[in-house]
Amino acid sequence: MKLPNIPFFSVFKPGYLAFVAFGLFLDLLTKYIIIVKMSADESISVLGDFFRLSLTFNTGFVFGLFQDNALPSLFATGFAIVFLIFYRWQNSDLGNVWGWNFVMAGAFGNFIDKFFVKIPGSGFRFGFTPEKPGIEFIGVVDFLDFDWPNFLLFTRWPAFNVADSCVSIGIVILLFTMDWKEMDKK
């Protein structure tokens, strides 16, 4: 693999890396607070049935698809991060930099979360296998739970977290700021 000709830190500037680190910190902090304060599958009504805090664990992929695939999900996320770093480095003029920063913050947040066993009401420990199934859990912590019109695929939108929100915001920014005609020329 050939490294891009442009210096790494001219694309990934310290301020951008600080933003990614802040997004990562915010994601992991909110997940930790939820793990310590709630029990597994507990829901707390915030805005009636429209918005609840619900502690769930996603051992699959996007939207909770393919559950019980924690290790393949870990490898897929790691591969995606490496791909995104090199793609962004090679295509530094493509899309708005803040879109990329949001996507990277979210990707790192969910990636790091996959390295820990969660113990609701207590905290977490490094590992990939719960020693006490039903008490300890693996997977990404999801807790933002919104109602969704019943006629659209899900009865409720799948629970998500701050990292998922960052990825979604980043993708929307990139979709609106990428010059698709310029991409076709490359």
Side-chain angles (χ1 to χ4, degrees):
M1 177 189 313
K2 182 180 162 198
L3 292 178
N5 293 330
I6 188 166
F8 182 83
F9 288 110
S10 69
V11 175
F12 298 96
K13 296 178 180 178
Y16 300 157
L17 296 175
F19 179 84
V20 171
F22 176 75
L24 169 66
F25 171 76
L26 186 62
D27 176 61
L28 296 177
L29 176 65
T30 57
K31 289 174 180 174
Y32 176 76
I33 291 169
I34 292 295
I35 291 169
V36 170
K37 299 290 184 184
M38 295 181 72
S39 58
D41 299 319
E42 177 183 1
S43 284
I44 300 170
S45 178
V46 177
L47 293 174
D49 203 37
F50 172 70
F51 173 57
R52 304 183 298 209
L53 295 176
S54 300
L55 178 56
T56 62
F57 303 95
N58 182 355
T59 57
F61 293 87
V62 177
F63 297 116
L65 298 173
F66 309 111
Q67 287 297 306
D68 301 321
N69 285 292
L71 282 180
S73 175
L74 173 73
F75 290 119
T77 305
F79 176 79
I81 288 172
V82 170
F83 174 81
L84 286 171
I85 289 171
F86 279 98
Y87 186 82
R88 169 80 176 115
W89 192 3
Q90 186 69 42
N91 300 284
S92 59
D93 57 342
L94 189 60
N96 182 287
V97 66
W98 293 105
W100 289 106
N101 292 341
F102 271 105
V103 168
M104 294 306 292
F108 276 109
N110 281 340
F111 182 68
I112 290 173
D113 190 14
K114 294 176 184 191
F115 283 90
F116 296 93
V117 173
K118 289 74 175 185
I119 309 158
S122 176
F124 62 89
R125 64 176 172 76
F126 180 79
F128 301 99
T129 308
E131 293 173 359
K132 301 173 187 169
I135 297 173
E136 297 181 346
F137 301 87
I138 59 170
V140 172
V141 174
D142 288 327
F143 57 92
L144 300 170
D145 180 9
F146 285 89
D147 197 8
W148 184 253
N150 289 346
F151 64 90
L152 294 174
L153 194 58
F154 308 104
T155 55
R156 289 188 74 79
W157 190 256
F160 58 98
N161 55 46
V162 172
D164 298 335
S165 300
C166 286
V167 170
S168 297
I169 291 167
I171 288 173
V172 168
I173 292 170
L174 290 173
L175 286 173
F176 282 108
T177 61
M178 283 188 171
D179 185 353
W180 298 100
K181 291 175 186 167
E182 191 65 32
M183 278 181 54
D184 289 340
K185 293 178 185 177
K186 287 189 177 189

